[in-house]
Amino acid sequence: MYRIPLRQILFQAHKQVMLQSEAFCVESFCYPQHIAALKISNSRGYIEILPFVGQMIWDVQFDDISLRMKNMFASPKPAKVIVDTYGCFAFHSGLLTAGCPSALDTHPLHGEFPCAQMDRAWLEITETQIRIISEYEYVQGFGYHYLARPSVSLTKNATAIEITMEVTNLSHHQAMPLIYMCHMNYAYVENGLMQQNIPNNAFCLRQSIPAHVKPTSEWQAFNEAILAGEIDSQTLNYPHCYDPEIVYFADNLTQYGDHLTFTLNNPANNVTFFTQFSTQEFPHATRWILNNPDQQVAAFVLPATARPEGYLAAEQTGTLQWLAPQQTQSFHVLTGIKE
């Protein structure tokens, strides 16, 4: 295995080929305002990653099909909160807090990590796989202290990627709270069919209304129809009803087995997006659907340690996790186009 450190000097306004083989091509470049980006291509497509900004996965395409939601951002923007640069395919929500803060919460939307400035990043390369790893040390006097190590792996000829997050509590004496969601913003698929190897009724409609959602009478009527069982919640055939967003929760996923698979099939071309994960790592899942002229997303599954309703809600429901001093927790997600 070869290891290549990534430094800011490697990222310029024009694309530069860092390495090339029969299986891969790695290019570095900068978006405006000096946001470093790395494009890793194989024979089927590419992934584009921001190695120093939360290790966001900005874009993913395989077989000329974009996996990313339609959004309003032509390029990533310098930001401290995720809504100021909400154009990526995936980001890491967490880690001390996460989700949509309630009126009593004091944390930013989706926590402190999504836009965190990484301390270092590097590539690990073999003949069959390229993995990009970033590291971020969070430390506050009289506060928490952790090391986060997100990574993304692309394999030769593959149409899927592995997303991982490893968190270590660096404190020698105090436990730290942990809430994490792998937030994948998949493209909206007209008449798409969402399926999974858990019962359809495992998903329940979100009852709370976060601050960024502005209900309309039509939206409220649609929610009531869902609750009454009049809507097929597995099929994306109500395009004018997903604005504001429609959100479902699935809890206690360990009751359905150790490994789950969720899919979104496009009937127009029979392409199927999929996501796989362990319920031991992710006991909760969220489904997020939004469709309007500016933003179109069908996040058919967002695996998480808790519902994305803020820190206090996780604390109150007993789903807030804690890492003991020097303890490490790891998370793994496989996602992409099903072959």
Side-chain angles (χ1 to χ4, degrees), residues 159-300:
T159 56
I161 57 176
E162 183 180 26
I163 305 171
T164 70
M165 170 60 80
E166 181 182 283
V167 187
T168 301
N169 181 2
L170 295 180
S171 172
H172 290 280
H173 79 97
Q174 71 170 339
M176 62 167 274
L178 176 63
I179 310 180
Y180 174 62
M181 170 183 279
C182 186
H183 204 297
M184 295 164 289
N185 305 317
Y186 263 92
Y188 180 86
V189 174
E190 187 175 355
N191 294 314
L193 175 63
M194 298 177 288
Q195 295 178 302
Q196 58 281 322
N197 58 340
I198 64 174
N200 292 346
N201 62 9
F203 280 100
C204 63
L205 184 68
R206 181 177 67 187
Q207 299 295 296
S208 61
I209 301 177
H212 68 275
V213 172
K214 309 302 179 186
T216 64
S217 57
E218 293 82 1
W219 181 81
Q220 290 174 326
F222 186 63
N223 277 258
E224 291 169 3
I226 294 173
L227 291 172
E230 301 169 0
I231 300 296
D232 175 10
S233 62
Q234 301 298 114
T235 304
L236 298 174
N237 55 359
Y238 302 93
H240 302 298
C241 297
Y242 307 125
D243 185 30
E245 64 190 25
I246 296 294
V247 174
Y248 300 89
F249 297 138
D251 302 314
N252 190 23
L253 296 181
T254 53
Q255 66 182 302
Y256 304 114
D258 292 337
H259 299 282
L260 300 184
T261 300
F262 295 74
T263 60
L264 171 59
N265 177 260
N266 187 339
N269 56 14
N270 205 31
V271 169
T272 299
F273 300 146
F274 80 97
T275 296
Q276 296 176 342
F277 58 88
S278 165
T279 60
Q280 299 300 316
E281 297 175 358
F282 295 106
H284 299 266
T286 295
R287 176 168 285 165
W288 171 48
I289 305 165
L290 175 65
N291 184 49
N292 62 45
D294 290 330
Q295 299 179 107
Q296 297 173 13
V297 58
F300 56 97

